[in-house]
Amino acid sequence: MAFREIVTIPEPVLRRKARKVSEFDSELQTLVDDMVETVQQAPGVGLAAPQINVSQRVIVVEYGDDEDEDVPPKLYIVVNPEIVRFSQEKITATEGCLSIPGFAGEVERSESITVKGSNRRGQPMRIKATGWLARIFQHEIDHLDGVLFIDRAERVWKVEGEARQVAPAD
Ligand code: ZN
């Protein structure tokens, strides 16, 4: 596994629609391993392949329930993710992005979603997510379509130091 450099705006790859993965080969396995290493070292709670300059539809999300420290964070790897259900209920909260360091913004997202996709071996998977996990998935899947949180934010502001990616505001 290797850490890969995270690209920041205005890198064009961040605005491109990423390609669907069709081969679940060793190259993909290396990409996934490197994305896991990179999101853990960043540290972040999610990473989309375009953020390491690879225009492919792969995301990794690592998120633990803040209220229960005994439960280790869960790692999700989703290839060709697609949101097949958005809840009507929406929540506005503060987001940041590893590719837009130094900024945060308030973004409205669905409170819960269902994500469909494949695991790293190409087997179909389905994830139901609510709350912060749902928000992280929506943020990462947006990256695959070249959409950034600043496009959706009602307001954006500068933050001191390094902004954490999609994290609770305080
Ligand atoms: Zn991001």
Side-chain angles (χ1 to χ4, degrees), residues 108-166:
E108 188 185 71
R109 303 273 190 192
S110 286
E111 198 267 335
S112 65
I113 54 162
T114 303
V115 179
K116 211 180 80 175
S118 300
N119 70 10
R120 62 190 298 169
R121 306 286 166 198
Q123 288 146 347
M125 65 189 292
R126 217 179 167 85
I127 299 160
K128 283 188 176 172
T130 57
W132 279 104
L133 185 60
R135 176 171 297 273
I136 299 164
F137 273 113
Q138 289 170 83
H139 178 115
E140 301 310 331
I141 292 169
D142 267 354
H143 271 300
L144 306 181
D145 293 320
V147 175
L148 303 172
F149 84 88
I150 50 175
D151 305 335
R152 297 193 185 276
E154 287 150 37
R155 59 193 190 96
V156 174
W157 61 90
K158 274 195 139 172
V159 290
E160 292 296 320
E162 283 195 31
R164 286 178 65 202
Q165 181 189 31
V166 203

Side-chain angles (χ1 to χ4, degrees), residues 23 33 42 44 54 62 68 70 73 76 86 92 96 111-112 117 130 143 148 163 168:
E23 306 259 354
D33 287 341
V54 176
E62 190 174 53
D68 194 348
D70 295 336
Y76 301 86
F86 290 92
T92 299
E111 198 267 335
S112 65
T130 57
H143 271 300
L148 303 172

